[in-house]
Amino acid sequence: MIYLKLDGHDFSYEITDVIRLFFGNEEIMLCNDTPPEECRGIFIFSSITHYESSRVFTTRLKVDGNLFKEARFVWDVVPDRQLKKEVKRQVYLVLSGYTGRKLPWGVLTGIRPAKIVHELLTRGFCPDDILEEMRNYYFVAEDKARLALEVANTETAILDRTKEDMISLYIGIPFCTTRCLYCSFTSDPIKKNETIVDKYVETLKTEIMCINEIIREREYRIQSIYIGGGTPTSISATSLKGLLEFIDKSLDLSSLEEYTLEAGRPDSINEEKLEAIRDSRVNRISINPQTMNNKTLKL
Ligand code: SF4
């Protein structure tokens, strides 16, 4: 059992992410009080306090009642949006010290490390400075930092080709066959929502019509469409076919370069759905495994 106590902030989601990087599925209990000395297990205390104009970040790690490590940073000026990052970094450093492990992606737990590289590029960082920032601030391993930079450079080359009047359309289906334990997306099991799925798809069509009005008025051209989720292929073959046909006939797809349908869960695909996809303008199916590790997939 891992006990977690926070003070002066409410970043339990972010800290829990970091704890899971080191301790996997170990149960984490958020507590209001410090557990008694005789309490077995790991106790993590994280706080942000104000001292005059500065902010003090503290992370304390106790194991079986004994203090293992305490870290304290004092920052004079920390923008609010950076507070979460600082808390995560500190917890990462303490847990890395305790476990003796450095993780390949360091403190990063999101799905697009290249997004950080894009932000740094926008702020005028050169490639060497970006690699240094990824290593020293986010604790990312050298090979992963280089990979993120390479991905960002490839994306930049594609984005640079995009004309001002070109847009990309994202269409979300927030249902999946079941909800994965590690999921951070807006998605709910389809069985639990059987009564609203059809209504959702019909409302989606209405919204597509409204968006299409805006596209026409502003004379935008649709360069790409991405139907994601959730798992779009979790809806019935009839609903999927109806939605794809509706998109094909309602939108001007003459400038379309890429049209993706996400089919991330093999248990959501069948022949009928594949036929519906083949008969539409979709030219890319994304079977996007979040992990190749069978043990993780079964969680
Ligand atoms: S398949 Fe993807 S979207 Fe659906 S629950 Fe799993 S991780 Fe979330």
Side-chain angles (χ1 to χ4, degrees):
M1 170 74 79
I2 297 173
Y3 301 93
L4 174 63
K5 181 172 172 344
L6 310 178
D7 190 25
H9 68 81
D10 185 22
F11 303 144
S12 58
Y13 181 83
E14 289 74 15
I15 295 186
T16 303
D17 263 1
V18 178
I19 295 174
R20 291 221 167 95
L21 292 176
F22 289 96
F23 296 102
N25 248 356
E26 187 99 18
E27 197 177 338
I28 301 167
M29 185 193 279
L30 203 58
C31 41
N32 295 325
D33 301 309
T34 305
E37 289 296 308
E38 65 275 15
C39 181
R40 303 289 89 187
I42 292 174
F43 171 63
I44 298 165
F45 170 73
S46 165
S47 73
I48 302 178
T49 48
H50 290 258
Y51 179 71
E52 295 178 351
S53 62
S54 308
R55 278 188 162 123
V56 183
F57 295 78
T58 304
T59 299
R60 199 174 297 138
L61 174 70
K62 280 185 167 186
V63 182
D64 294 339
N66 301 311
L67 181 66
F68 175 79
K69 197 169 176 69
E70 179 169 283
R72 187 164 289 184
F73 303 159
V74 181
W75 294 110
D76 285 339
V77 186
V78 187
D80 280 353
R81 65 188 156 74
Q82 208 173 311
L83 293 177
K84 280 182 195 172
K85 278 190 199 166
E86 294 301 336
V87 168
K88 276 181 86 174
R89 290 180 74 239
Q90 196 177 51
V91 172
Y92 176 92
L93 282 175
V94 167
L95 295 184
S96 177
Y98 172 62
T99 58
R101 290 172 60 208
K102 287 184 179 165
L103 305 174
W105 286 102
V107 76
L108 299 184
T109 52
I111 53 166
R112 285 190 56 211
K115 195 174 160 192
I116 293 171
V117 178
H118 280 294
E119 279 166 18
L120 296 173
L121 283 168
T122 310
R123 282 165 55 196
F125 280 55
C126 70
D128 281 346
D129 291 346
I130 289 173
L131 292 176
E132 196 180 315
E133 181 84 353
M134 295 294 274
R135 282 191 307 259
N136 297 342
Y137 188 80
Y138 295 101
F139 312 123
V140 174
E142 177 73 26
D143 59 331
K144 300 296 183 196
R146 287 188 182 278
L147 177 63
L149 180 62
E150 192 187 325
V151 170
N153 283 337
T154 308
E155 288 174 345
T156 303
I158 295 168
L159 289 172
D160 285 350
R161 287 205 314 265
T162 303
K163 305 277 181 304
E164 285 233 327
D165 64 342
M166 285 178 152
I167 59 157
S168 294
L169 212 57
Y170 178 83
I171 298 170
I173 306 279
F175 307 111
C176 285
T177 45
T178 54
R179 186 165 169 87
C180 307
L181 196 64
Y182 48 80
C183 181
S184 58
F185 300 101
T186 307
S187 177
D188 233 16
I190 193 137
K191 279 230 152 45
K192 219 176 86 189
N193 293 285
E194 260 166 359
T195 53
I196 60 162
V197 174
D198 285 347
K199 269 188 227 154
Y200 179 84
V201 174
E202 287 314 306
T203 310
L204 196 55
K205 289 177 186 169
T206 309
E207 196 179 345
I208 290 170
M209 289 303 289
C210 297
I211 295 286
N212 195 34
E213 280 303 303
I214 299 173
I215 293 173
R216 278 203 198 135
E217 268 170 37
R218 303 194 183 179
E219 298 182 350
Y220 289 149
R221 290 182 292 150
I222 303 173
Q223 185 183 25
S224 70
I225 298 178
Y226 192 100
I227 307 183
T231 305
T233 42
S234 66
I235 61 175
S236 70
T238 314
S239 296
L240 184 65
K241 191 174 167 58
L243 178 64
L244 294 175
E245 284 175 357
F246 180 83
I247 292 170
D248 284 3
K249 73 170 194 291
S250 314
L251 301 176
D252 177 358
L253 303 181
S254 54
S255 300
L256 196 66
E257 291 178 22
E258 187 180 278
Y259 183 177
T260 302
L261 181 94
E262 217 174 69
R265 293 274 295 255
D267 54 354
S268 70
I269 309 167
N270 62 27
E271 207 175 328
E272 229 183 319
K273 292 180 195 178
L274 285 174
E275 277 170 7
I277 298 167
R278 186 200 56 199
D279 294 342
S280 72
R281 292 280 305 270
V282 170
N283 57 16
R284 179 172 173 264
I285 295 177
S286 169
I287 300 177
N288 44 347
Q290 299 205 347
T291 172
M292 293 293 186
N293 184 330
N294 264 339
K295 241 168 82 188
T296 311
L297 280 172
K298 284 189 181 126
L299 289 176

